[in-house]
Amino acid sequence: MSGTTVFWYASRATGIVALLLLTAVLVLGILVNRQGRLPGLPRFAVTDLHRNLSLVAVAFIAVHVFTAVLDTYVHIPLLSAVVPFASGYERLWLGLGAISLDMMIAMILTSLLRGRMNRVLWRAIHLLAYASWPVAFVHSIGSSKDLQQGWMLDMAIGCAVIVAAAVVWRLAHAARQVPRAGRVAAVFAQHTATTSRATTSRATASKQARRNRESVTR
C-alpha cells in the first residue's frame, strides 16, 4: 500500500465501521424504554453502553473525515465536512454527509449542555439523532462504490433491515402502552384493585381465624 492510497483506504474503512457503529447506537436508542432500560440490563449499563458506542462512532467519523481530506486522489476541502454542498467533488453525497455530521454535532453539544437547557428544546434537538442516520446511510451508499455491490451491499441492507425492525418493534410496544393522559387513571385503578384484593384477603383470613377459634371452643 503506497502513501498515496493509505488515506483512501483509511477513509473508506473508517466510514464503513462508522456506519455500523451508528446503526448500533440508533437501534439501542430505539429499543430503550422510557425508563432508559433494556430487558436484563440495569439503567447504568444501558447508559454507559450507549454513551461509549456513541463516542467510538464519533471517533471513527472524525478519522473518516480527516483521512478523506488528506487523500490527494481528489480535493475535498475541510470546510465541506460541516458546510453542506461546499465540495466540488461528489457534491450531493458529500453534502448529505455534512448534514448528517452537523446533526450529530448539534446532538453532542446539546447533550453536554443538557443541564442548562430547556427539556423540551433539548429533546427536540436530540431527536436529530434519528434523522442523522438515514442521511448518513444515503451518503454512505452514494459516495462509496464498495457499498453498492457484493457482501458490503448485503451488510448495508442488513443495517437498514435491523433499523426498520427496531422501529416496528418500538411502535408496536408504544401502541400497547397506556397513553400519557390515561396513566394517572390506570395507576389509580391498579392501586384500587390491589387495595381491594388486600382487603378481601384480610377479610378471608379473619373469617378463617374466627372459624378456627370456634372449632377449638367447641
Side-chain angles (χ1 to χ4, degrees):
M1 185 183 299
S2 65
T4 57
T5 59
V6 63
F7 292 125
W8 186 90
Y9 283 109
S11 176
R12 278 143 186 80
T14 52
I16 292 170
V17 175
L19 176 62
L20 294 174
L21 290 170
L22 287 175
T23 301
V25 171
L26 177 64
V27 170
L28 185 60
I30 292 173
L31 296 181
V32 169
N33 60 25
R34 288 189 179 92
Q35 289 74 38
R37 293 190 178 93
L38 282 175
L41 287 177
R43 181 171 183 174
F44 73 88
V46 176
T47 301
D48 288 345
L49 177 61
H50 192 265
R51 181 178 62 248
N52 292 336
L53 279 176
S54 301
L55 291 175
V56 175
V58 170
F60 272 91
I61 291 171
V63 176
H64 170 64
V65 170
F66 284 113
T67 51
V69 172
L70 293 173
D71 182 19
T72 57
Y73 180 73
V74 294
H75 175 64
I76 301 177
L78 181 60
L79 188 64
S80 64
V82 292
V83 178
F85 313 112
S87 174
Y89 172 76
E90 298 284 1
R91 184 183 300 273
L92 174 61
W93 307 124
L94 294 185
L96 291 176
I99 292 173
S100 178
L101 180 60
D102 290 342
M103 290 179 177
M104 283 183 258
I105 291 174
M107 181 188 64
I108 292 170
L109 292 178
T110 53
S111 294
L112 295 175
L113 299 172
R114 181 177 182 178
R116 303 180 182 179
M117 292 184 62
N118 177 275
R119 180 175 177 80
V120 175
L121 177 61
W122 174 86
R123 185 170 180 78
I125 297 175
H126 197 74
L127 288 175
L128 288 173
Y130 293 98
S132 67
W133 185 88
V135 177
F137 183 80
V138 175
H139 156 76
S140 300
I141 297 295
S143 62
S144 175
K145 300 297 187 293
D146 299 326
L147 289 175
Q148 297 176 11
Q149 57 187 347
W151 67 270
M152 286 193 178
L153 175 60
D154 296 336
M155 179 195 68
I157 294 174
C159 289
V161 170
I162 291 172
V163 170
V167 170
V168 170
W169 179 90
R170 182 59 183 266
L171 291 176
H173 180 70
R176 292 193 300 268
Q177 290 184 328
V178 179
R180 185 182 297 271
R183 286 179 200 165
V184 174
V187 171
F188 180 76
Q190 183 180 9
H191 175 72
T192 302
T194 302
T195 304
S196 177
R197 286 195 298 268
T199 303
T200 303
S201 298
R202 286 195 298 268
T204 302
S206 177
K207 290 179 180 179
Q208 185 62 41
R210 187 166 58 252
R211 288 174 185 157
N212 291 340
R213 287 195 300 270
E214 290 175 355
S215 63
V216 171
T217 303
R218 291 172 184 172

